[in-house]
Amino acid sequence: MTLTHHDHAAGVVGETDWVPACRLDALVPGRGVAVLMPDGMQAALFLLSTGELFAVGNIDPFGRAAVMSRGLVGDRDGEPTVASPLLKQVFSLRTGRCLDDDTVGLGTFATRVVDGRVDVATW
């Protein structure tokens, strides 16, 4: 599922640079969703079974496809991770850093929950 940003009535993102993504109760722990940001950038949003929310870049830097939201969520030595569904490189959900090649990363987005709605910060 890809979630598209819907602007407020004024048609612009507020000064806080938060993009409403979806309702928290629409997320399934361990499964990602793609969020299309106002500038065309994409984030991959993940809810873990612990209740933690993470958002990283959705473009796989190795395969150059928008697939990270479909990646396999896991854990490497206590670090929450997502593995690319293409070539299986593993990335930290906290930092976006590739754990198999530390010269590559996804980038990260801050997240928050307001009144049951998940917001993703723009870069």
Side-chain angles (χ1 to χ4, degrees):
M1 163 173 39
T2 299
L3 302 171
T4 303
H5 165 67
H6 296 283
D7 292 338
H8 294 88
V12 296
V13 176
E15 291 180 14
T16 57
D17 295 321
W18 290 99
V19 175
C22 64
R23 302 265 328 140
L24 180 61
D25 58 13
L27 296 175
V28 176
R31 295 188 63 187
V33 296
V35 179
L36 182 60
M37 305 299 277
D39 62 0
M41 186 170 281
Q42 295 182 34
L45 179 63
F46 298 93
L47 173 65
L48 303 187
S49 60
T50 61
E52 292 176 284
L53 276 170
F54 294 98
V56 295
N58 194 39
I59 307 296
D60 179 328
F62 294 95
R64 302 202 190 284
V67 296
M68 294 309 298
S69 63
R70 297 180 184 181
L72 181 62
V73 174
D75 178 284
R76 189 179 279 182
D77 298 324
E79 181 74 15
T81 61
V82 61
S84 169
L86 296 178
L87 301 173
K88 310 303 184 234
Q89 287 88 358
V90 177
F91 297 84
S92 166
L93 286 173
R94 286 194 178 110
T95 66
R97 182 177 60 90
C98 180
L99 301 181
D100 300 317
D101 180 347
D102 63 4
T103 65
V104 179
L106 296 173
T108 59
F109 298 83
T111 61
R112 70 179 184 184
V113 178
V114 177
D115 296 328
R117 182 194 70 231
V118 178
D119 295 337
V120 179
T122 61
W123 277 345

